[in-house]
Every structure is written in C-alpha cells, then in structure tokens.
Amino acid sequence: MTTESDQPRVAVVGGGWAGCSAALTLAEAGVAVTLFEASRTLGGRARAVELEGQPLDNGQHILLGAYEQSLQLIERLHPATPLWRLPLTLEQPPAFSLTCPRLPAPLHLLAGLLSARGLNWREKLAAAHWAHTMLRDTATPGQLTVSQLTRTQPEKLRNALWHPLCVSALNTPPELADARIFRSVVRAAFGGRTQHSDLILPRRDLTALLPAPAAARVVELGGDIRLGHRVTTLDATPNAIALGNHGDMAVFSHVILAVAPQHLPALAKQVPALGPLGHTVAGYEYQPIATAYMQYDPDFRLPGPLFALANGPAQFVFDRGQSHGQAGLLAFVASAATNLPADWLDQAEAQLRRIVQPGPTRWRKRIIEKQATYSCVPGLARPPVHTPHPRIFLAGDYTAGPYPATLESATQSGVQSAGALLEQL
C-alpha cells in the first residue's frame, strides 16, 4: 500500500475542537488535508444543538483568559470578536462573593480573597495564605486529590470556592480529582498576567465559535471536510495509512486520530503498534455533565451574566440573554453529574429561586452527556501526540498536557499534533 504521490496527504479523523484545530494548522501550512467527522455537525462534545427553534449548545462552556491557544484561534477566525471578557467574579448569593480587582497577578487574587463577602477574617487570611502557597510552590505529590490538597482550608472555603472551582474545571469530584492538574489550572489563571483569570463567555453557539469557521478556512485552502463519514477501519503500513468506511477505502500519507478517547481503542487495536495505547485509554473512566435550559419571560434577566449555585445539583447558572441575546433563557450546569435525582430540574430551579424570582418557566429542556469528559484522577496515563507508529498522531483533550478536559486542552493538542506532523515532513 503506497500513497498516490510524493506529496503528503493527511487525514484528520474527528471534527471536534482538536480535529478542527489540527486540520486548520495543516491547511494553513500548505498541506492537503481531509477531515472526517461521523456526525453531521462539527464540534464534538462542544457543538451546537437546536431546542425549541433556538441554537443552543451541547453543554455550557466557559473559557479562562489563560486559555490562550483557544482564544488566539477564535479571534483569528472572526473579524469581530464573538467573546465576552469579564474580570473574575464568583457570586454565590447570598452566602459568598469574590471579585478580583485589576491589580497585577497574583495580588489581584489575594486582594479578592481578603475582600470576599461571606468570610470572616480568619477564613480570608487562611485562603490568601493557601493560595499564595499554591502559586509559589511547584511540588504536589502525584497521588494527592483535591480534597486532600484543601484539607487545611476552612469548610466554608472548601464548599464555596475551591471545590466548586475543581468541579467546574476538572469535571471530577474533589475527592477523586487530581490535585496536580487542579494546581496547574490555578497557577495558569492566577500566576501569570492579570487577564489570565478573566472569565470568557461565548457570544455565539459553540460550533459557530471555532469548528465551523475553521472548516470553512480549510476548504478555502483546498482541503476537504466530510461530514457524516464515520471511519471504522484503520490499516497501516510503514509508508501509508488507509482509512475505511463500509468498504470504501482512502489512502493517506499520515493520519491524526482526533476522536474522543472512548472511540480510540476500536481503531487502535487494528494497528499492532497502537495496541498498548488503545489498552491504556480503554481503562479510562468518565464523568457526565448535565445542562438544563429554562425559558422564562423575555423581560427577565439575572443581575449578572452568571451565578454560582449552592446546595443542589447545579453549580452554575448562565444568563444567555446577556451573552447570546436569547432573552429570558437560562442555562443550569451540573458538572460531575453522577446520580442525578429524577427531579433535578426542579431542584436546580429551586436553587435559583433562593436568589431571584424569575416567574414561571415557559419551557424546560435538558441535555445529559454521559461521557462528557474522562475522570481527571491522580496517576492517569495521558499519551503524547506522537504514537509508536511514525505516521499516526493523536489529538484530543485527553493527550498529555497541563490542563484537564477543556477546550484549551483540545485546541492545544490539535495544534501540537499538527506541528509534530509538520516537523516530520
């Protein structure tokens, strides 16, 4: 099996944020690229859906100012920025409020903690000292969980600040979550520039934010996007890679596998060199994310674009009227949403009504992604973008990197995978 010419022809399997970032990087470098996506919609888990005639998202996402790879790609693809940048404010009415002023990092975090509402001075000083130690020290034992890392903090701080941040960032309960990865997120947000801790809210649906314009750019540069095309067979020789779907085969010089980790083992086992890799990833466990969309009167709006919620299944509520212009529409997010009660929508709405009175709902819809992310636990083996086969590369939020399963991990891995391939060429 050989390729048809000496010119490299690269296939990217998977049209999520990692695959689209990889395909865009290759196309802009002048490489002929074909992207295969099993779905009819690009974006993977972070994609657009339609409910009640409105474009929504398969889960509500938020970016940090530290997620520079994602932000750079998005801003490159849009003539006018589709992002809303907000200084870090964590409001959990009526019990807790944290706002970081525009001071040099990490002074802005320390000032925010010392002025936080809902904490006494002993708790404020404990939080500031602990955060300073987190940002200064680099060593974290490899098997430490976030619960163990925060065990010296007052209970109110664990429940109102550190553990909600853990669940939202790692989508893993703090008693299971990897303390080193959590520390990486905290250091990225608060240990660099002040704007790294900013909260970045999309103003467009997630497919329109990056995957769709990236694919359009790939096509403009001569590439090919094949939607509704699930790759089921993978055949590799030292000189070429063949991809198949229901008997149709296409031969490429190189392949980037940008599928979700739960889909990788079925392809990896077909290439002997990838057998151990597939076996490792097959051992991953996963965490769900549940999102509830609730439509209220269009005149209703939250006092802010998002609130943290306490004592219930949801951790955050977002006002999509303020971010997306969808007046009166709120999105409730329950991360690490195992064992959700049957009435969790009622419970989430009760969480909101302890803060504001939005009036009756006009409709309610829920989306539950059962395998939204891998469980980010201590000691998890995350593979590099290179594989034992020199012509096959990986991209995805599960590959080796400093962050958990985030949009930034996906885009970073896509760009890194493409870069590794280009170096080989």
Side-chain angles (χ1 to χ4, degrees):
M1 180 175 60
T2 59
T3 55
E4 296 176 358
S5 71
D6 293 333
Q7 295 299 316
R9 294 180 63 240
V10 179
V12 176
V13 182
W17 282 55
C20 289
S21 300
L24 176 64
T25 303
L26 292 169
E28 290 184 334
V31 174
V33 60
T34 300
L35 185 146
F36 297 94
E37 167 55 40
S39 171
R40 292 288 179 183
T41 303
L42 292 168
R45 184 175 65 83
R47 67 184 183 275
V49 297
E50 185 174 304
L51 293 176
E52 297 292 328
Q54 296 197 65
L56 301 175
D57 295 311
N58 188 42
Q60 187 74 34
H61 285 257
I62 193 168
L63 291 158
L64 285 175
Y67 291 170
E68 293 181 323
Q69 183 68 80
S70 301
L71 298 176
Q72 181 189 86
L73 287 174
I74 292 167
E75 290 168 358
R76 238 172 62 204
L77 291 166
H78 293 272
T81 180
L83 301 170
W84 188 10
R85 181 180 285 267
L86 302 166
L88 176 65
T89 299
L90 183 62
E91 296 276 357
Q92 192 184 83
F96 181 75
S97 175
L98 169 72
T99 300
C100 290
R102 284 299 191 191
L103 294 174
L107 292 179
H108 68 319
L109 173 61
L110 300 180
L113 290 170
L114 292 175
S115 62
R117 181 166 47 84
L119 302 178
N120 61 38
W121 274 105
R122 184 183 67 83
E123 291 164 336
K124 291 178 180 181
L125 291 172
H129 179 266
W130 187 82
H132 178 68
T133 301
M134 281 271 289
L135 297 174
R136 182 191 61 199
D137 296 343
T138 57
T140 300
Q143 296 302 313
L144 203 66
T145 67
V146 172
S147 281
Q148 293 168 332
L149 182 70
T150 61
R151 66 186 180 277
T152 60
Q153 287 287 277
E155 194 67 21
K156 184 183 291 186
L157 277 170
R158 300 176 92 209
N159 294 335
L161 180 58
W162 304 126
H163 289 183
L165 287 176
C166 166
V167 172
S168 61
L170 277 65
N171 192 39
T172 304
E175 61 271 16
L176 300 176
D178 186 350
R180 287 192 300 179
I181 297 295
F182 178 68
R183 190 175 203 153
S184 292
V185 174
V186 172
R187 289 173 64 88
F190 300 108
R193 298 198 295 271
T194 300
Q195 60 267 34
H196 283 176
S197 63
D198 288 350
L199 301 180
I200 314 293
L201 297 180
R203 288 189 177 274
R204 299 187 184 181
D205 70 70
L206 292 172
T207 295
L209 196 60
L210 185 142
R217 178 66 175 151
V218 169
V219 172
E220 179 185 331
L221 293 170
D224 188 15
I225 306 294
R226 301 185 187 179
L227 300 179
H229 192 113
R230 182 181 298 277
V231 172
T232 56
T233 60
L234 177 67
D235 186 19
T237 71
N239 300 315
I241 310 295
L243 303 178
N245 171 268
H246 301 303
D248 297 329
M249 298 291 289
V251 179
F252 298 88
S253 62
H254 300 77
V255 169
I256 294 178
L257 297 178
V259 298
Q262 55 265 46
H263 302 310
L264 179 66
L267 293 172
K269 70 181 182 180
Q270 301 177 46
V271 179
L274 303 187
L277 167 66
H279 180 74
T280 296
V281 175
Y284 284 11
E285 295 184 351
Y286 294 88
Q287 294 285 337
I289 295 178
T291 306
Y293 289 103
M294 300 192 194
Q295 179 68 60
Y296 297 93
D297 186 282
D299 290 333
F300 172 75
R301 58 185 284 146
L302 292 178
L306 75 158
F307 279 135
L309 299 173
N311 303 318
Q315 292 91 31
F316 290 93
V317 58
F318 295 81
D319 188 338
R320 288 180 67 94
Q322 297 184 45
S323 59
H324 292 71
Q326 296 169 319
L329 183 64
L330 303 186
F332 297 77
V333 177
S335 298
T338 54
N339 302 317
L340 275 178
D343 64 343
W344 77 272
L345 270 69
D346 295 331
Q347 292 189 30
E349 192 165 12
Q351 290 177 272
L352 176 68
R353 293 186 185 278
R354 290 195 286 269
I355 302 172
V356 294
Q357 296 300 316
T361 52
R362 297 190 173 184
W363 55 261
R364 307 192 310 182
K365 300 288 184 181
R366 64 182 184 179
I367 297 174
I368 300 178
E369 189 80 13
K370 293 183 179 179
Q371 293 185 320
T373 67
Y374 55 86
S375 292
C376 190
V377 296
L380 184 71
R382 294 172 62 178
V385 296
H386 292 86
T387 77
H389 193 290
R391 291 177 178 267
I392 300 176
F393 299 81
L394 299 181
D397 60 14
Y398 66 97
T399 58
Y403 300 134
T406 59
L407 297 178
E408 179 69 2
S409 291
T411 55
Q412 276 191 359
S413 75
V415 172
Q416 290 169 0
S417 182
L421 195 156
L422 290 169
E423 283 183 9
Q424 187 184 99
L425 295 179

